[in-house]
Amino acid sequence: MLELNRSQKEIQKAAREFAKGEFDKELTVELEKKREYPHKIWKKAADLGFFGIQFPEAYSGGGLGVVEACLIAQELCRKDSTLGMVLTLSGLGAECISRFGGKELQERFLPPIVEGEMLCAVALSETEQGDDIASIGTGAVAEGDQWVINGNKKYVINGGAAGCYVVLCKTDFDAEPEKAFSMIVVESDREGVAATDLGQKLAANMMPATEIRFDNVKVPAGNLIGKAGQGLSQALSFQDEVRLILAAQAVGTAEGALDRALDYVKQREQFDRKLAQFQVIRHKIAEMATKTELARLIAYEAAARFDNGKADTALISMAKMSAAEFAVAVADEAIQLFGGYGYMTESEVEHFYRDAKFIQLYMGTSNSQKDNIAQSVIGKLK
Amino acid sequence: MEILQYTEEHQSFRTRLRAFMDREVAPHVEQWEQDHIIPKSVWKKMGQEGFLCPALSSRYGGIGGDFLHSVIVVEEISRTNHSGLATPLHSDIVVPYIDSYGSEELKQKYLPGCVSGDIITAVAMTEPDAGSDLASLKTTAVEEGDTVVINGSKTFITNGINSDLVVVAARDMEEANPHKALSLYLVEDGTPGFKRGRHLEKMGFHSQDTAELFFSDCRIPAENRLGTKGGGFVMLMEKLQQERLVVCIMAVAAAEFMLERTMEFCRDGSRHEKPLSKSQAVSFSLVEMATEVKIGRTFLDKLIMDHMEGKPVIVETSMAKYWTTDMVSRLAGRCLELFGQFGALERCPILRGWRDARVMSIFAGTNEIMKGIAAKFMGL
């Protein structure tokens, strides 16, 4: 089992204290209502080094691992699942630049993203449902020393607000899927980039989500991440990394819902007893605690293996799927324990439930995680 | 054979109501969801067309229908993909308190307005410290000659902002037995000492106004008491059965609606290379959910019939309330997953249903309370 080292414990503590000091549930409600990005908190979090902790130190990163990034995501989500999720997805896509980008790209993009100067977004899926990244039509054609990009991405988190998009494009129209795609960075101020708001969401409305159209967008050849043809494997590895972060967000979301439910059942009295004295309530709490613990165990096991160079895609899918399911179940039960109050915005647990569901729906639902897991567990049939 | 025997009159009531919903409700739902309230004018239009309190006798302006008319109203509201138009609460839950327990004078005074939509009602039971545990209500009523003085606060009250007339549960502090201390009183909007508190923000049911109510030395005429003094607990217990049954109808109808929308999405071949429903896992999920909905519908229809025949169905109603409301939430969650990340957008046709479904296992008695009641009546 993963034992946190001293530096990891310090990071965990720093994230916990930051959230305690800066997060405010009324502010969350207000930002959600106005659909306004938490700019101030984002900048403060950046100043304290909470972003890009797994990126190279040379480019403002922390030089540490995904486990550390998970600890931050977990602690922030525990205090406020909405803010935690939004902040830890603020540089979405930068993972690709950090893992696979050349020195020049890293220099240009990583410091502003890590330092809270620029939001980043990733543009992968082209269906509304979002599972199948191999069926992508956005194309990039090399013309001289430029790429010319055309296509339409359906669902881009941070779209419209991001300074750059990491875009999965088809670059070889004759090749097998393994070699047909490339990842290209597109600055959002390039001509021909247009964002269309997707409207209100299930959760995290302070974080924009848009469709992004690329209409004859020209970017320098150097905006290609790594080499042409490596896009699909980069995207899959990127998904693994982000799914680990999402799993950690789910762990924190479950913990946060459990914390609140525990406080409530210990103080709320009905029928002349504390709720925490009823056996059925105690068992509900026991199940919630068990699910939270299971989520934590699998998420960190998967993250630790990733950091040790033994990334296990199936285990990551298992972690993303089960941590999200557990978080949904725990937050759902938290609402039930709160009763009518749990359904009210002011109780907070209702947004933990919506956030947990959002995590479950984003970057592969349980069905698509099961497809991944089965592929790996069953292997190729003779 | 269908379990519920709808007559031609019922069918034409449904047809007229559906046309009304298409015309007067569906086009405005988005706006009402944003406004967090529904204009009172909609209630009046419903009243004009005979869709409010359909079970009331023609003596008070009703159409003299039966509970099947109420079932139809709940089902047709569900089809408009929102849950905020709380006329079933008014017609089938609050007004029956007045109809069953009110004096003839009270009935003459209020029921015609309830039918026409000029009077919107609410029932105020829940308090900040008393939800499941009705016997621990703290709002007090002191009867002083021909007036009653009410003090206390209520919360999570449906129609809390729009209501013109509220049935308030309050206790007599002199009476030690909590089951004999409660009485029900009618309090009109505008009575001095009756104030509305916050219009509460919720996870769902956005178009429905949920609010706090405050009573501070609120004086009402003694004749505004419903039934006998101290009879409140028994009245509540008696009427809660129909309230819970209404919630079951809402739950099953919402599940049917969401499943239908999800199947449409999954069958739509234009969105993906092949329709999602051709995925074996998706089709099995849909079959499982359709099975649950059918089981729920069959159980519910039988229960409606038994309820209308006046059979004792307290155990079955408790079972149905917990099972159908858990089912609708479970189904909503599974359906949403089939939409994938599109399910996380408000434009997904069932996201509102998912948010609205979550409270059904809580209101009208939490599902834990339902299991407690069933256990008690099953002799456990």
Side-chain angles (χ1 to χ4, degrees):
Chain A
M1 208 209 97
L2 176 74
E3 182 92 24
L4 297 184
N5 63 35
R6 206 171 132 188
S7 120
Q8 287 166 336
K9 281 181 187 159
E10 275 167 17
I11 289 165
Q12 187 181 41
K13 191 169 163 236
R16 188 174 299 169
E17 280 169 6
F18 171 76
K20 198 176 161 200
E22 299 294 333
F23 293 4
D24 161 10
K25 69 176 187 177
E26 264 109 57
L27 179 69
T28 298
V29 171
E30 195 189 317
L31 294 172
E32 282 293 278
K33 214 180 275 179
K34 293 185 184 160
R35 301 182 66 198
E36 183 183 317
Y37 201 81
H39 278 105
K40 276 188 190 162
I41 298 177
W42 170 55
K43 290 216 182 292
K44 276 189 190 167
D47 288 344
L48 292 171
F50 290 129
F51 303 138
I53 199 149
Q54 74 274 42
F55 299 169
E57 281 177 286
Y59 310 112
S60 304
L64 295 164
V66 171
V67 166
E68 283 80 0
C70 284
L71 287 168
I72 293 166
Q74 181 193 342
E75 287 304 326
L76 300 189
C77 285
R78 181 177 188 168
K79 182 70 186 163
D80 186 319
S81 49
T82 309
L83 275 171
M85 183 160 77
V86 171
L87 292 175
T88 49
L89 295 179
S90 64
L92 198 62
E95 296 85 355
C96 289
I97 304 174
S98 170
R99 299 267 168 213
F100 308 111
K103 193 165 174 268
E104 194 264 341
L105 270 188
Q106 294 188 329
E107 235 164 35
R108 259 165 69 201
F109 292 103
L110 293 183
I113 292 167
V114 172
E115 289 163 18
E117 301 292 327
M118 185 200 270
L119 291 172
C120 190
V122 71
L124 298 177
S125 65
E126 296 183 7
T127 62
E128 283 174 326
Q129 212 239 1
D131 285 348
D132 188 9
I133 61 167
S135 68
I136 268 170
T138 295
V141 179
E143 277 183 16
D145 55 356
Q146 289 185 321
W147 290 103
V148 181
I149 302 171
N150 277 291
N152 194 8
K153 299 289 184 178
K154 284 280 185 192
Y155 198 99
V156 179
I157 296 279
N158 296 335
C164 68
Y165 299 100
V166 173
V167 187
L168 183 64
C169 307
K170 197 169 241 186
T171 43
D172 186 338
F173 290 81
D174 303 317
E176 291 295 299
E178 288 74 24
K179 293 186 175 166
F181 297 98
S182 303
M183 291 278 229
I184 299 173
V185 184
V186 178
E187 297 89 340
S188 57
D189 55 5
R190 295 271 175 201
E191 210 182 316
V193 179
T196 313
D197 182 25
L198 291 173
Q200 285 279 341
K201 298 193 295 300
L202 154 70
N205 276 299
M206 63 175 83
M207 173 175 78
T210 65
E211 207 174 302
I212 300 283
R213 262 196 90 74
F214 299 96
D215 192 11
N216 274 321
V217 178
K218 297 187 176 76
V219 298
N223 278 23
L224 174 73
I225 298 178
K227 288 187 183 132
Q230 294 178 338
L232 193 61
S233 73
Q234 290 171 359
L236 293 174
S237 162
F238 162 75
Q239 281 194 331
D240 278 353
E241 189 164 347
V242 175
R243 282 172 182 159
L244 289 168
I245 305 290
L246 293 169
Q249 290 174 354
V251 176
T253 302
E255 281 182 324
L258 176 58
D259 289 344
R260 284 158 181 80
L262 263 177
D263 285 348
Y264 191 75
V265 300
K266 285 183 187 175
Q267 56 91 12
R268 173 79 170 177
E269 285 184 27
Q270 289 286 273
F271 304 101
D272 300 321
R273 281 195 285 171
K274 304 266 190 215
L275 291 188
Q277 287 173 291
F278 290 88
Q279 189 188 22
V280 165
I281 305 287
R282 299 177 72 81
H283 285 191
K284 282 177 191 280
I285 293 284
E287 285 174 13
M288 292 160 79
T290 306
K291 285 173 182 161
T292 305
E293 192 64 31
L294 285 169
R296 181 170 30 232
L297 288 171
I298 194 165
Y300 282 94
E301 179 64 28
R305 285 200 213 170
F306 185 97
D307 282 345
N308 293 337
K310 293 174 192 156
D312 180 340
T313 300
L315 183 65
I316 291 168
S317 280
M318 291 176 197
K320 196 273 176 181
M321 171 176 80
S322 49
E325 279 175 7
F326 289 143
V328 170
V330 171
D332 184 35
E333 196 67 87
I335 293 180
Q336 191 67 19
L337 291 174
F338 271 77
Y341 184 47
Y343 198 63
M344 302 298 137
T345 307
E346 64 188 284
S347 76
E348 290 188 286
V349 288
E350 68 87 18
H351 84 71
F352 278 76
Y353 180 51
R354 289 185 290 112
D355 292 332
K357 196 72 193 171
F358 188 91
I359 294 168
Q360 188 180 43
L361 297 175
Y362 187 58
M363 219 160 261
T365 59
S366 297
N367 271 351
S368 74
Q369 305 303 339
K370 283 181 204 170
D371 286 340
N372 285 347
I373 297 163
Q375 195 166 18
S376 159
V377 172
I378 297 169
K380 279 206 174 101
L381 296 178
K382 280 178 191 166
Chain B
M1 197 179 95
E2 294 296 321
I3 298 174
L4 295 179
Q5 296 297 310
Y6 289 104
T7 62
E8 266 180 42
E9 194 277 317
H10 286 122
Q11 305 290 11
S12 87
F13 180 82
R14 190 189 289 276
T15 308
R16 283 194 298 118
L17 179 58
R18 187 169 296 181
F20 178 87
M21 289 290 156
D22 288 346
R23 192 175 70 239
E24 302 289 348
V25 173
H28 308 292
V29 162
E30 298 300 326
Q31 188 60 47
W32 299 343
E33 287 279 302
Q34 279 175 34
D35 296 345
H36 287 210
I37 196 159
I38 294 177
K40 286 184 165 192
S41 56
V42 180
W43 287 71
K44 288 192 185 162
K45 283 183 193 163
M46 277 192 79
Q48 276 161 16
E49 307 258 352
F51 299 132
L52 294 179
C53 310
L56 270 193
S57 143
S58 54
R59 277 182 69 196
Y60 306 112
I63 60 167
D66 58 18
F67 189 63
L68 286 185
H69 289 93
S70 306
V71 174
I72 292 169
V73 176
V74 178
E75 289 177 351
E76 293 304 315
I77 291 175
S78 294
R79 288 175 47 91
T80 62
N81 192 20
H82 91 297
S83 324
L85 186 56
T87 69
L89 176 90
H90 167 83
S91 303
D92 310 314
I93 297 165
V94 191
V95 170
Y97 283 107
I98 307 173
D99 189 37
S100 300
Y101 307 115
S103 63
E104 191 53 39
E105 288 72 29
L106 288 177
K107 294 207 261 187
Q108 298 282 2
K109 186 174 177 191
Y110 294 120
L111 292 182
C114 294
V115 175
S116 68
D118 289 306
I119 296 176
I120 297 176
T121 59
V123 57
M125 285 188 261
T126 304
E127 297 177 1
D129 293 320
S132 296
D133 184 7
L134 271 182
S136 70
L137 291 179
K138 290 197 181 82
T139 296
T140 59
V142 179
E143 302 205 1
E144 293 174 350
D146 56 2
T147 57
V148 181
V149 186
I150 299 177
N151 277 290
S153 50
K154 299 287 182 179
T155 193
F156 311 145
I157 306 305
T158 300
N159 294 340
I161 300 294
N162 266 340
S163 49
D164 304 292
L165 186 66
V166 184
V167 174
V168 180
R171 74 186 303 156
D172 174 2
M173 293 311 280
E174 310 274 290
E175 174 58 58
N177 181 346
H179 297 104
K180 290 183 179 166
L182 287 186
S183 298
L184 303 183
Y185 300 94
L186 287 178
V187 180
E188 283 185 35
D189 178 36
T191 308
F194 167 32
K195 285 207 177 70
R196 293 165 209 275
R198 292 176 301 158
H199 184 156
L200 298 164
E201 304 257 346
K202 316 182 285 295
M203 174 179 163
F205 270 70
H206 283 164
S207 46
Q208 186 252 103
D209 49 315
T210 306
E212 299 168 323
L213 305 180
F214 298 114
F215 302 90
S216 158
D217 284 331
C218 174
R219 288 170 183 275
I220 56 162
E223 62 248 31
N224 275 20
R225 193 185 66 222
L226 296 175
T228 54
K229 187 161 187 263
F233 200 82
V234 174
M235 291 183 244
L236 289 172
M237 288 304 117
E238 195 181 306
K239 292 293 178 196
L240 276 166
Q241 176 164 308
Q242 179 155 307
E243 173 167 0
R244 286 162 187 160
L245 196 48
V246 168
V247 175
C248 297
I249 303 165
M250 217 186 245
V252 172
E256 287 168 343
F257 176 84
M258 285 190 271
L259 182 63
E260 207 179 294
R261 293 287 98 81
T262 305
M263 290 208 287
E264 269 169 30
F265 176 82
C266 292
R267 285 199 188 104
D268 183 353
S270 67
R271 292 171 187 277
H272 305 91
E273 279 177 24
K274 59 171 188 173
L276 283 175
S277 57
K278 296 293 168 201
S279 145
Q280 194 182 28
V282 170
S283 67
F284 278 30
S285 275
L286 290 169
V287 168
E288 286 166 11
M289 290 191 272
T291 308
E292 286 204 287
V293 170
K294 280 262 184 240
I295 291 171
R297 172 51 78 183
T298 309
F299 186 18
L300 171 66
D301 284 358
K302 170 75 165 59
L303 194 53
I304 291 171
M305 198 172 73
D306 288 346
H307 173 73
M308 290 176 71
E309 288 175 1
K311 288 186 183 160
V313 283
I314 189 158
V315 171
E316 289 76 6
T317 306
S318 306
M319 289 172 168
K321 198 278 174 178
Y322 105 71
W323 194 85
T324 58
T325 59
D326 278 354
M327 182 272 287
V328 67
S329 236
R330 180 167 66 236
L331 174 138
R334 291 181 75 182
C335 283
L336 211 53
E337 271 210 71
L338 297 180
F339 285 88
Q341 62 188 8
F342 177 50
L345 300 180
E346 204 62 46
R347 64 176 69 162
C348 166
I350 66 150
L351 178 58
R352 182 181 301 144
W354 178 83
R355 284 191 285 97
D356 290 358
R358 184 61 195 83
V359 76
M360 296 182 190
S361 62
I362 295 170
F363 61 25
T366 66
N367 287 1
E368 289 69 31
I369 292 296
M370 292 307 104
K371 290 176 196 175
I373 293 172
K376 191 173 144 202
F377 281 84
M378 287 162 70
L380 302 174

